[in-house]
Amino acid sequence: MRTHTKARHKHPDFPADVIRFPVLDSLVPWTQPFPDYQPVEYTANVVLKNDRSKVPNGWADPVDPPVEELRYRVSYCGAIQIKNDRPRNPVGRTGMTGRGLLGKWGPNHAADPLVTRWNADAFELVLIKRKDTGEWAIPGGMVDAGELVSVTLKREFGEETMNEIAETGSEEVKQQLDELFSTQGVEVYRGYVDDPRN
């Protein structure tokens, strides 16, 4: 697996005083000695306020989840490494500990549908412009606990591309979404995504 870069840079929603400890590419792998490594600790308030052990319908893990629970989590990158009762990033050092803007300790499973079509002679792909980073992205989002990925794909695509239209309750829009996601898709990628949220 190649090294990550976004996961070592500041996310625009992080407070000004949250500065990642600098990590050179050569020092990213956990196998490389780095005795001076002193990552900043940060978990966003929005994550802490949605602690599922304290808030009904909370979407975030507790501050101190049982280590036994963490050991049973599944990652597409292999076995989860735990050190000091916390999962390690599978690629290596990020200059930060804690969860950043991510709700789960360890893997945060997301589902992003690639919706494409041929329009005359042009191949078209649905993208969104992220409000937090300003980057173009595939619409998608986090898989809720116990949720089927197919349900996540449809829900997140509707929320991120048609939210304003869908809020009107248009039956036509709902039918179009049902039709779009009624066929079996093809999985294109499964694995680690370089993400600045942690």
Side-chain angles (χ1 to χ4, degrees):
M1 181 179 305
R2 67 176 203 255
T3 191
H4 47 217
T5 56
K6 290 183 180 182
R8 289 185 284 146
H9 288 90
K10 186 178 182 88
H11 188 281
D13 291 343
F14 286 1
D17 63 336
V18 175
I19 300 170
R20 292 181 187 268
F21 192 85
V23 181
L24 298 173
D25 287 354
S26 62
L27 296 174
V28 168
W30 295 112
T31 55
Q32 293 300 313
F34 193 179
D36 296 331
Y37 183 57
Q38 295 179 21
V40 64
E41 171 74 27
Y42 175 67
T43 299
N45 284 332
V46 67
V47 174
L48 299 173
K49 289 178 183 176
N50 282 282
D51 181 334
R52 65 179 158 75
S53 70
K54 298 177 182 175
V55 178
N57 299 318
W59 47 264
D61 282 347
V63 173
D64 293 308
V67 175
E68 302 78 42
E69 180 183 323
L70 298 176
R71 291 186 195 288
Y72 288 105
R73 296 209 171 158
V74 177
S75 169
Y76 297 123
C77 299
I80 296 171
Q81 296 178 28
I82 297 176
K83 179 146 184 171
N84 300 325
D85 295 337
R86 295 287 179 256
R88 284 181 148 183
N89 183 298
V91 172
R93 298 177 180 94
T94 65
M96 188 173 87
T97 60
R99 291 173 282 168
L101 288 164
L102 298 175
K104 306 280 188 267
W105 288 104
N108 282 260
H109 295 277
D112 303 327
L114 289 167
V115 177
T116 63
R117 72 176 183 183
W118 282 101
N119 186 6
D121 290 332
F123 180 76
E124 297 177 337
L125 166 68
V126 176
L127 296 174
I128 60 163
K129 191 164 189 177
R130 292 186 58 97
K131 292 178 184 175
D132 57 355
T133 64
E135 294 178 325
W136 288 98
I138 300 166
M142 297 300 173
V143 180
D144 292 338
E147 184 177 47
L148 294 173
V149 172
S150 58
V151 173
T152 304
L153 292 170
K154 180 179 172 183
R155 174 178 50 80
E156 289 291 339
F157 184 83
E159 287 176 4
E160 294 199 3
T161 64
M162 304 177 159
N163 206 21
E164 292 176 20
I165 299 169
E167 284 176 3
T168 64
S170 166
E171 281 303 314
E172 182 182 354
V173 171
K174 290 177 184 173
Q175 287 175 348
Q176 288 174 344
L177 271 175
D178 287 343
E179 184 180 328
L180 180 63
F181 288 95
S182 66
T183 59
Q184 180 67 34
V186 175
E187 185 176 285
V188 177
Y189 176 75
R190 177 185 291 206
Y192 181 83
V193 176
D194 190 6
D195 192 326
R197 290 176 288 182
N198 181 18

